[in-house]
Amino acid sequence: MEEGALLDTATTWVEQARHVAVLTGAGISAESGVPTFREAQTGYWAQFRPEDMATEEGFRAHPRRVWDWYQHRRGLLAASQPNAGHVALAQFQQRHPGRITLITQNVDGLHQRAGSTGVLCLHGDIFADRWLDTPRNCCHIDHAVAGHPPYCDRCGNLLRPGVVWFGEPLPYATLEAAQQAARVCDLMLVVGTAGAVYPAAGLARIARDAGARVVIVNPQPTELDAVAHEALRGTAAQVLPALLSEAH
Ligand code: APR
């Protein structure tokens, strides 16, 4: 089926859906100038080893290297703006309160800056810090001594980014809410994710098995294509405004 017909079908599915669940990944922020992870050449994992930069072991081995990389990313994100894809989702939620659940693997806060609320952030928030070890009475995050990373001057506990690293559990209540949304939705949009990381990627299969239609928005094939009823081969900033607008 040619692209225009696919988009028309998907738009009809949006109109018919009582509840839409949306799973987003790094690709939705690509048009805001934020690098993805697995894209060849430009992806972060083409430049760094995830085990060095996105695991607790990697942080403990080289806390300064990891902390500085997250500080670099925070600076890039502070200078980035939400794009038309983020905005289309936020505006859909404003027009149809309660009809959409937005689940993201992204830690960049761009959905929230576009106006989306109740975002289920499966992998945490890059702008939040937390203690590396269970905090003792002496550890006060607002008294942490500045450093790379900041630390507790009483016991040496280090601050770390409040994101979920490989091998770490996702926030239980957030994952539960996301899996519940996948079970009850009539339509799941899977936007800008390679579908390579679980349990996030498993949400598409949960939705499909529960009877929802599954539509992928991604310029490239993904590991979830086989789970989808349709794959719209375009970018988030191009496809989402057309897919979610009231024009149809
Ligand atoms: N619009 C839509 N999709 C896009 C765009 C775009 N403009 N640009 C790139 N993409 C797609 C790519 O084709 C790719 O399929 O976005 C996807 C990005 O995939 P990844 O880089 O693997 O990012 P993601 O799937 O979010 O990674 C999941 O892995 O490293 C961990 O915790 C990290 O949350 C991340 C998780």
Side-chain angles (χ1 to χ4, degrees), residues 189-219:
L189 304 179
V190 179
V191 183
T193 181
V197 173
Y198 285 76
L203 294 169
R205 170 55 66 191
I206 291 171
R208 176 85 194 234
D209 289 350
R213 289 176 175 139
V214 178
V215 172
I216 285 175
V217 177
N218 197 315

Side-chain angles (χ1 to χ4, degrees), residues 68-88:
D68 287 352
W69 182 56
Y70 277 87
Q71 288 296 91
H72 162 73
R73 290 175 63 192
R74 287 169 174 175
L76 177 68
L77 290 169
S80 303
Q81 295 300 325
N83 63 58
H86 298 107
V87 171

